[in-house]
Amino acid sequence: MKAINRLRKNEDFRKVYQKRNSMANRLLIIYISKNEYEFNRVGFTVSKKVGKSVVRSRVKRLLNESYRLNDDKVLQGYDIIFVARDTSAESTYKEVESAMIHLLKKMKLIKR
């Protein structure tokens, strides 16, 4: 994913969290906010509750790859944050991808 499409700054994360537009399932929590760009910016959060650094890095890689492969299906113009729950530590790629798509559908961000 290109650097311009990533949320990195703490203030950007705070803006999205303050909108309180969220939804959750067993593996992930999604926060969304409209942005002023014509592309999506995505951030991933994996807390220490998920596991040690190796596990957290693996979960981040799974999230990143899941979003990258499905980016063309997602409506543009949003800031999106995915927060991994502790149950995502043992999950497979397919489980993470289906959880992500499930949340995007529930938030009506998938193109028809």
Side-chain angles (χ1 to χ4, degrees):
M1 192 173 343
K2 295 179 185 174
I4 196 167
N5 294 358
R6 296 294 301 265
L7 286 174
R8 294 197 184 270
K9 294 184 181 177
N10 193 19
E11 72 180 66
D12 292 337
F13 276 83
R14 286 179 194 261
K15 285 178 187 175
V16 177
Y17 288 138
Q18 285 175 352
K19 297 284 184 184
R20 298 260 185 223
N21 194 1
S22 65
M23 196 159 290
N25 61 20
R26 191 175 66 85
L27 297 178
L28 300 172
I29 304 168
I30 186 174
Y31 292 88
I32 66 166
S33 172
K34 198 94 166 123
N35 66 25
E36 64 270 5
Y37 307 112
E38 295 179 9
F39 54 87
N40 288 339
R41 297 187 307 167
V42 181
F44 304 110
T45 303
V46 183
S47 76
K48 288 187 177 182
K49 290 180 184 177
V50 174
K52 299 206 181 269
S53 64
V54 174
V55 176
R56 292 194 311 266
S57 294
R58 178 182 170 274
V59 171
K60 281 185 209 171
R61 287 194 311 271
L62 291 175
L63 289 170
N64 191 19
E65 188 66 6
S66 298
Y67 183 80
R68 186 185 70 82
L69 293 176
N70 293 295
D71 184 35
D72 57 333
K73 301 174 190 169
V74 180
L75 295 175
Q76 299 298 304
Y78 291 91
D79 288 339
I80 305 170
I81 298 175
F82 290 101
V83 180
R85 290 186 156 180
D86 54 359
T87 54
S88 62
E90 309 90 36
S91 56
T92 64
Y93 168 76
K94 280 293 184 192
E95 292 171 336
V96 170
E97 184 181 37
S98 76
M100 182 178 286
I101 291 172
H102 172 256
L103 287 175
L104 289 169
K105 282 180 181 175
K106 288 199 87 155
M107 297 300 275
K108 295 179 175 48
L109 291 178
I110 295 287
K111 293 178 186 173
R112 303 253 168 187

